[in-house]
C-alpha cells in the first residue's frame, strides 16, 4: 500500500525538523537536564509522528475497505433494483390481465343474467304452449270416437276399408283401401 504525503504529514515533518534544529543550536547553551528534556520531547514527537503515520495507514486501509464494501453493496442494490423492476413489470402485467378478466367476467355475468331472464320467459311461454297443446290433444282424443263413427258411416257409403291397427302404431296416419267390387277394380 502506498502512502501519500498530506498536509498533516508535512506539518509533523516540519515540527520534527524544527525541534531538531532547535536541539542542535541549543546544545551548547543548554544544561544536561534541559538537553535531556529536549531529547525526551524529541522522542515523544518521533513517537507521535510514528503513531500519526500508523493511524494514517490504518485510516487508508479502513477507507479502502469501506469503499470496497460500498461498491459491493451498490452492486447488490443495483441487482435488487433490476429485480424489483422486473417484479413491478410483472405486477403491472398481472394487474392489466386482472382488469381484462374482471371486464370479461362482468360481461359474462350480464349475459348470464340476460340468459336466465330469457330462460324464465321461454319457460313461461313453453308452459303456456304446453298447456294449450295438452288441451288441444285432449280435445282431439275426445273427438276420435266421433271421427271413427263418422268414418264408419262414410265407409258404408263409399266402400272404403279403413285400417285402424296402423293408426294405433302410427298415430298420425289413418290408412284405408277403396273397394270398387261393383266395377271389378280393387
Amino acid at each position: 500500500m502506498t502512502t501519500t504525503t498530506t498536509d498533516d504529514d508535512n506539518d509533523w515533518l516540519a515540527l520534527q525538523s524544527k525541534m531538531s534544529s532547535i536541539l542542535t543550536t541549543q546544545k551548547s547553551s543548554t544544561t544536561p537536564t534541559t538537553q535531556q528534556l529536549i531529547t525526551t520531547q524529541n522522542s515523544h514527537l518521533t513517537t507521535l509522528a510514528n503513531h500519526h503515520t500508523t493511524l494514517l495507514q490504518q485510516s487508508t486501509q479502513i477507507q479502502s475497505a469501506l469503499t470496497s464494501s460500498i461498491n459491493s453493496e451498490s452492486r447488490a442494490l443495483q441487482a435488487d433494483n433490476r429485480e424489483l423492476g422486473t417484479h413491478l413489470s410483472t405486477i403491472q402485467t398481472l394487474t392489466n390481465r386482472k382488469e381484462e378478466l374482471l371486464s370479461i367476467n362482468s360481461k359474462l355475468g350480464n349475459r348470464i343474467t340476460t340468459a336466465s331472464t330469457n330462460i324464465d320467459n321461454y319457460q313461461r311461454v313453453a308452459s303456456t304452449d304446453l298447456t294449450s297443446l295438452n288441451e288441444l290433444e285432449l280435445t282431439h282424443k275426445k273427438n276420435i270416437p266421433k271421427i271413427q263413427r263418422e268414418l264408419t258411416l262414410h265407409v258404408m257409403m263409399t266402400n272404403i276399408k279403413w285400417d285402424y291397427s296402423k293408426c294405433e302404431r302410427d298415430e298420425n296416419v289413418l290408412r284405408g283401401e277403396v273397394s270398387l267390387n261393383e266395377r271389378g277394380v280393387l
Side-chain angles (χ1 to χ4, degrees):
M1 168 171 277
T2 59
T3 57
T4 56
T5 306
T6 62
D7 289 338
D8 287 340
D9 290 337
N10 290 335
D11 291 343
W12 280 107
L13 290 173
L15 183 61
Q16 189 177 14
S17 173
K18 197 170 208 170
M19 289 301 284
S20 292
S21 70
I22 290 173
L23 182 61
T24 308
T25 55
Q26 290 188 356
K27 270 190 181 180
S28 55
S29 63
T30 58
T31 63
T33 307
T34 308
Q35 194 174 2
Q36 186 179 13
L37 282 174
I38 291 174
T39 303
T40 303
Q41 284 179 347
N42 197 17
S43 172
H44 287 306
L45 282 175
T46 303
T47 302
L48 282 174
N50 289 338
H51 284 305
H52 178 71
T53 303
T54 303
L55 288 175
L56 281 176
Q57 288 174 348
Q58 288 175 347
S59 169
T60 303
Q61 289 173 347
I62 291 170
Q63 182 181 7
S64 175
L66 285 175
T67 301
S68 174
S69 177
I70 288 171
N71 289 339
S72 174
E73 291 299 322
S74 177
R75 285 189 298 275
L77 184 61
Q78 288 173 351
D80 288 346
N81 282 341
R82 282 190 297 275
E83 186 177 347
L84 283 175
T86 302
H87 290 309
L88 286 175
S89 176
T90 302
I91 287 171
Q92 185 61 44
T93 301
L94 291 174
T95 301
N96 291 343
R97 181 67 178 145
K98 174 188 165 192
E99 290 173 6
E100 289 173 16
L101 291 175
L102 286 174
S103 174
I104 290 170
N105 192 22
S106 175
K107 289 176 184 175
L108 288 175
N110 291 339
R111 287 180 68 186
I112 288 171
T113 302
T114 301
S116 178
T117 303
N118 288 342
I119 287 171
D120 291 341
N121 291 338
Y122 295 147
Q123 283 178 339
R124 258 188 262 114
V125 169
S127 175
T128 304
D129 288 349
L130 186 61
T131 303
S132 297
L133 283 174
N134 287 337
E135 289 173 1
L136 183 64
E137 183 181 2
L138 186 61
T139 303
H140 284 306
K141 282 185 180 181
K142 286 181 182 178
N143 288 333
I144 287 178
K146 179 183 172 192
I147 292 171
Q148 283 177 342
R149 276 191 313 269
E150 289 175 359
L151 281 176
T152 303
L153 194 63
H154 187 62
V155 165
M156 287 183 191
M157 293 172 55
T158 61
N159 284 330
I160 298 176
K161 294 183 181 179
W162 296 104
D163 187 1
Y164 293 111
S165 63
K166 290 183 181 176
C167 181
E168 290 173 8
R169 282 185 276 149
D170 187 5
E171 294 183 16
N172 295 326
V173 177
L174 178 63
R175 297 177 192 236
E177 295 177 3
V178 176
S179 176
L180 299 176
N181 285 337
E182 298 121 24
R183 295 189 198 165
V185 177
L186 284 176

